[in-house]
Amino acid sequence: DAKTTQPPSMDCAEGRAANLPCNHSTISGNEYVYWYRQIHSQGPQYIIHGLKNNETNEMASLIITEDRKSSTLILPHATLRDTAVYYCIVRVWGEYGNKLAFGAGTILRVKS
Amino acid sequence: DTAVSQTPKYLVTQMGNDKSIKCEQNLGHDTMYWYKQDSKKFLKIMFSYNNKELIINETVPNRFSPKSPDKAHLNLHINSLELGDSAVYFCASSQVLDSYTIYFGEGSWLTVV
């Protein structure tokens, strides 16, 4: 299973873009990159996922490098409610189905 | 309506007791999960069920026994509670077994004293 490396914490000013990096240098060709976040005292929430193309949805954008060894989650206009732990996950799909392996994540603090 | 709901939200109990955490999802999903988040905040899968059938059992002690009476419910029963069982337990569901989106409940905070 590919592992991910994320900075332990980041700060971002409210209204600015938050760029959260993730390294996954051992990712294999059929593994997707997923991003989830966990706001304090809540369960994790799905944000976005991608294989090799850049992806965008109503919450965020995901930029994956051409060699797929790293990616960046972009929150275009961060708000205070975006303060959370952000998890970059490379999907582990074993014989018996879907297993998401969560690492330590990045604590994003959005400040006014 | 809460999509994935679990009860109780907080539970404090003594070592050696037996306790259950209940989970229900109203999303019509086929697959349900239990995850455990320990004091270091690492979130790890414990079990997954697909249409009431056990799919994943991640080397969890036998004291933990999940039960799925129907595909909308996945309860977690824990026997002979130990101090190390103190954690936050999250129930989750996904539409099918390999869905990329998993919906989590709000967690059950278990403290064993």
Side-chain angles (χ1 to χ4, degrees):
Chain A
D1 301 335
K3 300 287 186 257
T4 62
T5 303
Q6 300 177 252
S9 65
M10 294 181 63
D11 291 339
C12 177
E14 189 177 20
R16 304 297 293 269
N19 298 289
L20 293 99
C22 180
N23 286 322
H24 31 78
S25 59
T26 59
I27 192 170
S28 62
N30 60 352
E31 288 182 308
Y32 286 71
V33 180
Y34 292 79
W35 283 84
Y36 277 72
R37 73 179 182 184
Q38 187 173 19
I39 295 171
H40 182 62
S41 298
Q42 295 184 22
Q45 175 191 25
Y46 166 81
I47 301 173
I48 200 167
H49 77 286
L51 181 62
K52 48 185 176 182
N53 295 326
N54 298 337
E55 303 289 344
T56 295
N57 63 20
E58 65 279 4
M59 289 183 69
S61 295
L62 174 60
I63 308 298
I64 302 175
T65 58
E66 193 168 340
D67 63 9
R68 304 208 325 123
K69 293 184 177 182
S70 65
S71 60
T72 301
L73 177 74
I74 301 172
L75 307 178
H77 305 286
T79 70
L80 297 178
R81 288 178 296 179
D82 292 321
T83 293
V85 180
Y86 287 77
Y87 298 99
C88 170
I89 302 163
V90 173
R91 185 188 187 194
V92 178
W93 195 85
E95 179 181 2
Y96 299 108
N98 187 4
K99 297 193 293 184
L100 290 181
F102 289 79
T106 295
I107 299 172
L108 175 68
R109 301 184 190 91
V110 180
K111 300 183 176 182
S112 58
Chain B
D1 281 347
T2 303
V4 181
S5 58
Q6 47 185 117
T7 54
K9 188 172 178 69
Y10 299 100
L11 181 58
V12 180
T13 188
Q14 291 188 327
M15 284 174 53
N17 284 351
D18 303 338
K19 292 293 178 186
S20 293
I21 306 172
K22 296 185 176 181
C23 178
E24 176 182 6
Q25 53 95 2
N26 62 5
L27 298 167
H29 288 171
D30 286 348
T31 309
M32 294 187 72
Y33 311 82
W34 276 108
Y35 278 79
K36 178 182 179 180
Q37 189 165 39
D38 60 23
S39 57
K40 296 183 179 178
K41 305 297 184 184
F42 289 110
L43 195 61
K44 296 181 180 178
I45 191 168
M46 300 173 68
F47 303 101
S48 80
Y49 271 71
N50 188 60
N51 281 319
K52 302 194 299 175
E53 179 185 354
L54 179 66
I55 301 298
I56 295 173
N57 181 341
E58 282 293 293
T59 61
V60 177
N62 291 336
R63 299 182 295 105
F64 290 79
S65 53
K67 287 189 170 49
S68 182
D70 55 63
K71 72 175 192 178
H73 295 85
L74 180 62
N75 303 322
L76 183 65
H77 188 76
I78 315 170
N79 290 327
S80 302
L81 278 156
E82 301 177 356
L83 294 177
D85 298 331
S86 296
V88 185
Y89 293 86
F90 288 97
C91 179
S93 73
S94 62
Q95 189 167 9
V96 292
L97 194 58
D98 58 354
S99 295
Y100 56 80
T101 306
I102 296 181
Y103 296 83
F104 285 82
E106 297 210 336
S108 294
W109 271 253
L110 172 65
T111 302
V112 182
V113 296

